[in-house]
Amino acid sequence: MKIVVVGGCGHVGLPLAVALANSSHNVVAFDISVGAVKDVNSGKAPFWEPGLDDALIEARSKAFTASLDPEVIEAASIVIVVIGTPIDSHLNPDPTAVLIAIEGICKHLKDHQLLILRSTVFPGVTEQVEKLLVQRSLKTCVVFCPERIAEGFAMNELYQLPQIIGARQDLDFNRAKEVFDCLGIESVRTTPEEAELAKLFTNTWRYIKFAAANQFWMMANDSGISFENVRDAIRYKYPRASDFPGAGFTAGPCLYKDTMQLSAFSNNTFALGNSAMMINEGLPLYLVEKISKKFDLPSLKVGILGMSFKGESDDNRSSLAYKLKRILKFKAEQVLTCDPYVTVDNELLDQDYVLENSDILIIASPHRRYKDIISKKPIIDIWNLRGNGSSV
Ligand SMILES: NC(=O)c1ccc[n+]([C@@H]2O[C@H](COP(=O)([O-])OP(=O)(O)OC[C@H]3O[C@@H](n4cnc5c(N)ncnc54)[C@H](O)[C@@H]3O)[C@@H](O)[C@H]2O)c1
């Protein structure tokens, strides 16, 4: 099958394109990022994802390629669209991102093609894409197939997670299923509208669970009670609480943004989602407030360990470590930051320098290497990464 992945050099597009290429499909990644296309064609992923570099080299040996030329779309039977869909600078979801991208490629689309929408979208976008294609006199069929991988696990989860396929027609469902069958995964059929909500519910569900844990952590912390002892007691041989998360910064390019989309979709009546956003986004402020009660922040140099939004990742998009940094820059004498993975922040310092020159350290991203740091300075660790408790 000849497949073009639009946005195929991104965090989600590239792992999928490579996995499909290595599973007997003929795949081209079309992208507008000159740097990313260059990286991919030189056999190097533009970002860190375990297992991706090796899989990319294998795919390159099977004629997988990346291109800046939208004309590559014309030869495909399947076109998968997985461009980024961020919220705007005023925190509004932008339901037009996918539509604008598709407008841009419309003249290369053909009637016989199946268009698989894979970006996470505001509910109703699939229908709008269908209308756009009709306006352009195209008979291209559309399905919505959300991506549910987590960064850092892509090259395993692509071969494990069932694929939700939101299709109106049996034929479209079967064509989309054939694409994903080669990954050895099951397909689950819904309508496009159900699939759009399924993706937003999936991420929002996780976001709310993390918010509950963070709120419980704040409650325990305010009362001088060990959150870890409570959580351990609850989870001990009690499977119903096995998914009770620990505390920590809940951030990144998806969970917050998708909760925001659902909030906008429900006309801002989504009380639970709105509360979760306040709790998770408010955690850096809470933390600084607590630290400033114990330490004389204006006279202290604060070292932040880890700037990516999650452990063992180079992705610092929407990372709460930067919110923490902003607040501390206002309150502390100086803020020093480091991260072993992030490559796109020129203010980062060497870890040893930060350890030596800070008066107090805060673990903002739970990279495993911080478990064993030896320092006489106070280390704030709300993740309890070091096993010494998370109280502040
Ligand atoms: N990152 C995740 O863990 C994750 C997981 C599941 C779903 N998603 C969803 O997948 C989508 C993509 O997210 P991402 O993290 O991969 O974003 P990304 O920014 O890493 O990748 C998007 C890619 O699309 C390219 N692009 C943008 N506009 C384009 C256009 N008009 N034509 C061709 N290429 C274009 C960009 O250059 C980039 O390479 C989003 O909707 C996101 O919500 C992300």
Side-chain angles (χ1 to χ4, degrees), residues 6-13 30-33 36 82-85 101 105 118-121 147-151 199 203 253-254 257-258 315 317:
V6 177
C9 295
H11 288 80
V12 162
F30 163 61
D31 206 290
I32 54 170
S33 165
V82 65
I83 61 153
T85 49
I105 58 168
R118 197 163 180 77
S119 301
T120 305
V121 296
E147 178 59 85
R148 293 191 294 168
I149 56 156
E151 281 181 41
K199 174 62 197 178
N203 276 1
C254 290
K257 179 237 333 169
D258 292 343
D315 194 347
R317 292 178 296 171

